[in-house]
Amino acid sequence: MASILQRRQSLSSQLVAELRALIDKGTFKPGDKIPSENELMTRYSVSRTVVREAISGLRADGLLETRQGVGAFVTRRPKKRLDPFDPQDMQAVLHIIEFRLAFEPEVAGIAAKRRTKADLNDLKAKFDDLHSKSLDANSFVKPDYEFHLAIAKAAHNPYLIQLGEHLGPQIIPHSIIHVLAPEIPEDMSFLKRVRGEHEDIYRAIVDQKPQAARKAMKSHLKNSLALYSQYLDL
Amino acid sequence: MASILQRRQSLSSQLVAELRALIDKGTFKPGDKIPSENELMTRYSVSRTVVREAISGLRADGLLETRQGVGAFVTRRPKKRLDPFDPQDMQAVLHIIEFRLAFEPEVAGIAAKRRTKADLNDLKAKFDDLHSKSLDANSFVKPDYEFHLAIAKAAHNPYLIQLGEHLGPQIIPHSIIHVLAPEIPEDMSFLKRVRGEHEDIYRAIVDQKPQAARKAMKSHLKNSLALYSQYLDL
DNA sequence: ACATATTATAATGTCGTACAAGTTGACAAT
DNA sequence: ATTGTCAACTTGTACGACATTATAATATGT
């Protein structure tokens, strides 16, 4: 029997995609029992190994639940997993900055209120590292991210920390900008301004001035947004 | 040979936990090659099926990558998957409200600026639904969530929408509050006040008043925070 | 001696069969 | 009508075999 599946990617991963599509399309609705392994074997002309690996993958993804002796069921409330933040174009970069603009100012404010001395040590280390590399466009991305993450940690809200960790260094525009638009010059004055902004944020948190921290973070991100907005038409 | 594993959960899921622990502990560091399937078989006295299912699960989780003919490797940048928002205690409920307080006001502001007529239709439908059920403590959770999600959609930022979808109805305090603290009375005056707050938010977005929308959302969540803070010592 | 095929080896990918364990429903016995 | 037993089906586990791919060792030709 001619299988629908091609032999380029692994069969199981193809079957994963196929089943995922069927679930997305609504052929298998939440709560439904999907066909048994035997039936899937014959339907797609693959071995039980492949079927089981596929189901195993979807289960790890939270889309399926299996019960021995009964069958595999589509999860009733599939966990919408947050896609990784991989900006592919300029529009996405701007959306990410806007996203950060929505909550990072408040995070900085909370951090200014709540930071402990231990937080301050960590924050100082990250800030110093960033400061020393902030004029090197090739190596300041990671320290930049670490600095912002340290602020989230100083806010002592586990959900904010998790979000920060999930975002990852990709949210720093420069991690992608030179790929999307290599013609943008590495403007030294721009880098110096950013360094000053980071310092404003840092000082406000050290001095426990929530309002100033919010304002500094907001201004920092708004400048970033304005800078990259120029190149939207790329 | 006596296996380390107990026979209560499935062998593969136990092995998943074991390997995940080894990775977390640092025995296998990012980029490292983990032992071959053959070696894992003998080490844990399980069949290759179990080993492969375990690896398959970890791969779907983004912790492992396999290359045929080479081996399985710990992902270099493991995707920090955002845990589902399942508040287990009062402290978590407050953290979630604080989390929402950090970004929802700005979302409302953006929505007020950017909402289209189509958004308005959707928003009105959700608001009317919520309004009609807002005095029934048992059935207003979902409409409440849908209303807030509609606002995120009106902001037209895909990342904000994704975050809203990921959060899910669990972020509405009442979805969990009666379980954690059933002694909290269903105060009608409180429900009426919330209804008024929702209306303020809705009006501001309809009238395209970003500042008012931000303020209304902020006030709404702050009231919520204040209300539940009373019961923190539960 | 060096560069290039060839081969050997080891690892994951796929297949088939068999049995274990859990669930469900039918059916008979009481 | 309730209970007990059994049969059929489904997922979980095990084992053995071969296919496919990548790496390293070896052989070969110049």
Side-chain angles (χ1 to χ4, degrees):
Chain A
M1 182 190 296
S3 168
I4 303 174
L5 309 177
Q6 304 294 323
R7 186 63 153 254
R8 198 66 252 166
Q9 287 233 288
S10 78
L11 292 178
S12 43
S13 62
Q14 290 180 59
L15 188 53
V16 164
E18 168 76 6
L19 292 178
R20 193 192 298 274
L22 287 179
I23 292 175
D24 282 347
K25 202 199 301 174
T27 309
F28 302 140
K29 291 166 193 160
D32 279 2
K33 180 180 168 302
I34 70 172
S36 72
E37 297 178 352
N38 250 308
E39 198 172 331
L40 290 176
M41 287 170 62
T42 60
R43 184 180 301 184
Y44 291 102
S45 313
V46 293
S47 74
R48 198 174 158 210
T49 307
V50 172
V51 172
R52 283 188 62 78
E53 296 235 349
I55 290 177
S56 166
L58 291 174
R59 196 179 39 185
D61 251 23
L63 262 82
L64 289 183
E65 288 170 354
T66 61
R67 281 184 299 168
Q68 185 173 191
V70 185
F73 300 83
V74 180
T75 308
R76 208 163 285 276
R77 189 172 44 73
K79 299 166 187 168
K80 296 267 183 178
R81 81 178 314 176
L82 211 46
D83 292 338
F85 278 58
D86 285 329
Q88 298 300 336
D89 53 33
M90 212 51 180
Q91 181 73 19
V93 172
L94 296 182
H95 274 143
I96 286 180
I97 298 178
E98 183 178 84
F99 182 91
R100 295 177 60 191
L101 199 44
F103 76 95
E104 283 205 54
E106 186 62 22
V107 173
I110 298 175
K113 250 187 302 190
R114 208 170 286 170
R115 97 285 187 286
T116 65
K117 287 180 180 174
D119 295 328
L120 239 44
N121 286 335
D122 187 39
L123 200 60
K124 174 169 171 43
K126 299 294 162 55
F127 174 72
D128 288 344
D129 188 34
L130 172 58
H131 197 267
S132 70
K133 293 172 181 165
S134 58
L135 295 186
D136 178 2
N138 292 322
S139 65
F140 84 94
V141 166
K142 195 169 181 184
D144 193 341
Y145 167 68
E146 298 280 353
F147 177 64
H148 283 266
L149 188 57
I151 294 175
K153 285 178 180 166
H156 291 274
N157 182 319
Y159 298 104
L160 289 172
I161 297 174
Q162 268 186 46
L163 179 61
E165 287 176 339
H166 179 268
L167 295 175
Q170 299 90 346
I171 60 163
I172 307 299
H174 261 71
S175 69
I176 186 66
I177 215 72
H178 65 285
V179 178
L180 292 176
E183 64 271 28
I184 296 182
E186 298 293 355
D187 186 351
M188 194 60 81
S189 71
F190 153 71
L191 292 174
K192 280 183 182 168
R193 197 200 64 210
V194 167
R195 189 169 69 172
E197 291 169 358
H198 279 143
E199 186 159 357
D200 291 343
I201 299 169
Y202 174 65
R203 292 286 168 219
I205 294 177
V206 171
D207 298 344
Q208 290 185 294
K209 294 180 179 173
Q211 195 61 40
R214 265 190 289 268
K215 196 173 168 188
M217 180 65 84
K218 198 173 201 169
S219 154
H220 171 49
L221 292 170
K222 275 196 170 176
N223 284 336
S224 194
L225 190 61
L227 173 68
Y228 296 116
S229 291
Q230 305 176 267
Y231 305 103
L232 180 59
D233 53 348
L234 291 179
Chain B
M1 183 188 297
S3 169
I4 302 174
L5 309 178
Q6 304 294 325
R7 190 64 155 245
R8 195 68 247 161
Q9 288 236 286
S10 78
L11 292 179
S12 45
S13 61
Q14 290 180 57
L15 187 54
V16 164
E18 168 76 5
L19 292 178
R20 193 191 297 275
L22 286 178
I23 293 174
D24 283 347
K25 201 198 301 174
T27 309
F28 302 140
K29 292 165 193 158
D32 278 2
K33 179 181 168 304
I34 70 173
S36 72
E37 298 179 351
N38 253 307
E39 197 172 332
L40 291 176
M41 287 170 61
T42 60
R43 184 179 300 183
Y44 292 102
S45 314
V46 293
S47 74
R48 197 173 160 214
T49 310
V50 172
V51 172
R52 284 188 62 78
E53 295 239 349
I55 291 177
S56 166
L58 290 174
R59 196 180 38 186
D61 252 23
L63 262 81
L64 289 183
E65 287 171 355
T66 61
R67 282 186 299 169
Q68 184 170 339
V70 186
F73 300 83
V74 180
T75 308
R76 210 163 285 276
R77 188 176 48 75
K79 298 168 187 168
K80 297 268 184 178
R81 81 178 314 175
L82 211 46
D83 292 338
F85 278 58
D86 284 329
Q88 298 301 336
D89 52 34
M90 213 53 180
Q91 180 72 20
V93 172
L94 296 182
H95 274 143
I96 287 180
I97 299 177
E98 183 178 82
F99 182 92
R100 296 176 59 191
L101 199 44
F103 75 95
E104 283 205 53
E106 186 62 22
V107 174
I110 298 174
K113 249 187 303 190
R114 209 171 284 170
R115 96 287 186 286
T116 65
K117 286 181 180 173
D119 296 328
L120 240 43
N121 286 335
D122 187 38
L123 201 61
K124 174 169 172 41
K126 299 294 160 56
F127 174 73
D128 287 344
D129 189 34
L130 172 59
H131 197 270
S132 70
K133 292 173 181 165
S134 58
L135 295 186
D136 178 2
N138 292 322
S139 64
F140 84 94
V141 166
K142 195 168 182 183
D144 192 341
Y145 167 67
E146 298 280 353
F147 177 63
H148 283 265
L149 188 57
I151 294 175
K153 285 178 180 165
H156 291 274
N157 181 319
Y159 299 104
L160 290 172
I161 297 173
Q162 270 186 45
L163 179 62
E165 288 177 338
H166 178 270
L167 295 175
Q170 299 90 345
I171 59 163
I172 307 299
H174 262 70
S175 70
I176 187 66
I177 214 72
H178 65 286
V179 178
L180 293 176
E183 64 270 28
I184 297 181
E186 298 294 356
D187 187 350
M188 194 59 82
S189 70
F190 153 70
L191 293 175
K192 281 183 181 170
R193 197 200 65 210
V194 168
R195 190 169 68 173
E197 291 168 358
H198 279 142
E199 185 160 356
D200 291 343
I201 299 168
Y202 173 66
R203 291 289 168 217
I205 295 177
V206 172
D207 297 345
Q208 290 184 295
K209 295 180 178 171
Q211 195 60 41
R214 266 190 289 267
K215 195 173 168 187
M217 180 65 84
K218 198 174 202 169
S219 153
H220 172 48
L221 292 170
K222 276 195 170 175
N223 284 336
S224 196
L225 190 62
L227 173 68
Y228 296 115
S229 292
Q230 306 177 268
Y231 305 102
L232 180 58
D233 53 348
L234 290 179

